[in-house]
Amino acid sequence: MITQVLDSKKKSPKVLVENKISFAGPDSELKIYDTYQQANRVQLKSDQLLFCAMVSGKKVMHASEENFDSDFLPHESFIMTPDSQVEIDFPEAQLNKPTTCLAIEISKERVQQVAQSLNEQHSLQQDFGYWHYEHRLVHTHHNVATQNVLNRIVQIYGEDHPDRSAMISLAVSELTIRLLRHQTRDFILSFCQNEPDKNGLSAALNYIEQHLNEPIAIDSLARIACMSRSKFFTEFKQHLGCTPMAFQQQLRLKNAANALRLGESITATCFAFGFTNTSHFSRIFKQFYGLTPSQYKQRHLLRAC
């Protein structure tokens, strides 16, 4: 989907390294970068938050401030904080097979507005601190939901629609919320690991993490959290953005992905994290990551070579 939309927007390149096409929007800008020849240490910097998503090919990202060096491949996200700088290698770019990446620049003011709106809606700050963007590089394999948002954003930016600006604003807000949610969830999990007895929700989250390969029940988690069933369910969804069952499955999938990256077999990984059969595991893994377990494993084994 996203490749088809981008192909329709491309013209003859003016330069062979990081040829850029830009589309302006409210508090944001979409940039499409194509590189047609191998290159090393190409600098990239933005004074705003920059959300990058690989479409085709391979980059190698370097950030000296964070001692960061990593491959950047399709279905992955790389988020740069405002005023940070990276250097990029293009080891596979060819004239007839360019390395393509899209970058969505989101103003600092928009990120702050979205964070403030979330703070007004949720009571997260009472236990874990305020919603805010943590100023560090983020490199992650984004899930299908994030990929769908990116598909919509690319489609909307290129449309000549009377409500284009409003639709871009909504889509960029959704992408920002997903980014903030991802960082906040990581913070909450880290907090719970360090202080599992701080509050009821911390205790329940710690229990889920320690029993990933076991079935869980809302009533049991509510007792661990010292809450009624309804209060626990509401608090959990408010802080984590999903149900306890969905959260456990997401943790299982992320841990399974880590195991596959380390070369574990698909069958052993499946059963180690509580999945009942390999067909079911493969299906929901692809729904979450956009790749089958075998495709995901092969990609990371090739990366390690």
Side-chain angles (χ1 to χ4, degrees):
M1 168 66 177
I2 198 167
T3 305
Q4 294 173 348
V5 174
L6 293 182
D7 286 344
S8 69
K9 307 298 178 187
K10 293 179 183 179
K11 301 176 182 178
S12 298
K14 297 179 180 179
V15 295
L16 295 180
V17 177
E18 293 287 69
N19 185 72
K20 181 176 70 175
I21 304 173
S22 299
F23 300 88
D27 298 318
S28 63
E29 184 176 10
L30 170 66
K31 300 175 182 179
I32 302 167
Y33 292 96
D34 289 296
T35 296
Y36 297 86
Q37 67 180 27
Q38 295 181 15
N40 293 313
R41 297 291 178 172
V42 178
Q43 293 187 349
L44 175 64
K45 183 175 182 179
S46 174
D47 59 357
Q48 307 297 333
L49 185 145
L50 198 62
F51 184 102
C52 305
M54 281 296 291
V55 177
S56 63
K58 171 183 174 180
K59 294 183 179 181
V60 181
M61 312 295 282
H62 308 280
S64 57
E65 290 183 4
E66 301 196 24
N67 195 27
F68 180 93
D69 297 277
S70 179
D71 293 350
F72 186 28
L73 300 168
H75 283 284
E76 294 183 352
S77 301
F78 190 87
I79 300 97
M80 293 174 55
T81 60
D83 301 313
S84 63
Q85 179 175 299
V86 298
E87 293 183 328
I88 309 170
D89 299 339
F90 299 87
E92 299 178 353
Q94 301 176 33
L95 190 59
N96 62 349
K97 194 177 180 182
T99 295
T100 300
C101 175
L102 64 86
I104 302 169
E105 193 174 66
I106 307 172
S107 73
K108 290 180 283 189
E109 292 75 19
R110 168 52 66 88
V111 177
Q112 291 168 354
Q113 289 171 3
V114 173
Q116 181 179 350
S117 176
L118 290 170
N119 281 323
E120 291 171 354
Q121 294 178 46
H122 301 301
S123 59
L124 181 66
Q125 61 268 31
Q126 294 177 4
D127 296 320
F128 299 107
Y130 288 90
W131 288 81
H132 66 281
Y133 180 73
E134 184 180 346
H135 288 269
R136 63 179 178 85
L137 294 174
V138 176
H139 181 202
T140 184
H141 195 295
H142 57 243
N143 59 30
V144 172
T146 302
Q147 185 66 42
N148 289 338
V149 176
L150 294 173
N151 289 342
R152 290 205 308 276
I153 288 176
V154 172
Q155 182 72 47
I156 295 167
Y157 265 105
E159 287 182 344
D160 182 17
H161 192 283
D163 299 317
R164 175 180 178 274
S165 292
M167 291 191 295
I168 288 175
S169 182
L170 289 171
V172 169
S173 291
E174 180 181 350
L175 182 63
T176 304
I177 289 170
R178 291 186 181 278
L179 170 59
L180 291 170
R181 173 69 71 182
H182 171 82
Q183 288 206 319
T184 302
R185 178 180 288 191
D186 285 350
F187 170 76
I188 291 174
L189 290 176
S190 177
F191 178 89
C192 294
Q193 289 167 352
N194 294 328
E195 300 189 51
D197 299 324
K198 179 69 175 180
N199 55 48
L201 185 58
S202 293
L205 287 169
N206 187 64
Y207 180 87
I208 292 173
E209 278 204 284
Q210 298 301 318
H211 299 81
L212 280 184
N213 62 341
E214 301 174 15
I216 57 173
I218 296 296
D219 289 338
S220 298
L221 292 174
R223 284 194 296 271
I224 292 170
C226 298
M227 300 179 191
S228 69
R229 178 188 174 95
S230 59
K231 178 177 174 58
F232 171 74
F233 198 82
T234 300
E235 287 283 316
F236 196 100
K237 287 199 69 175
Q238 180 175 321
H239 285 75
L240 279 302
C242 62
T243 68
M245 305 305 179
F247 178 73
Q248 185 195 46
Q249 178 162 289
Q250 290 168 16
L251 281 185
R252 285 176 169 177
L253 289 169
K254 289 179 179 179
N255 279 271
N258 288 334
L260 293 175
R261 282 200 295 270
L262 295 173
E264 291 292 332
S265 75
I266 294 171
T267 300
T269 299
C270 167
F271 294 110
F273 294 103
F275 297 100
T276 56
N277 63 74
T278 54
S279 296
H280 174 68
F281 171 58
S282 295
R283 184 169 62 255
I284 62 173
F285 191 97
K286 185 174 183 180
Q287 288 173 354
F288 190 74
Y289 283 107
L291 299 169
T292 66
S294 59
Q295 290 170 334
Y296 187 89
K297 180 179 179 179
Q298 184 67 19
R299 165 184 285 186
H300 288 277
L301 289 179
L302 289 173
R303 173 185 289 183
C305 294

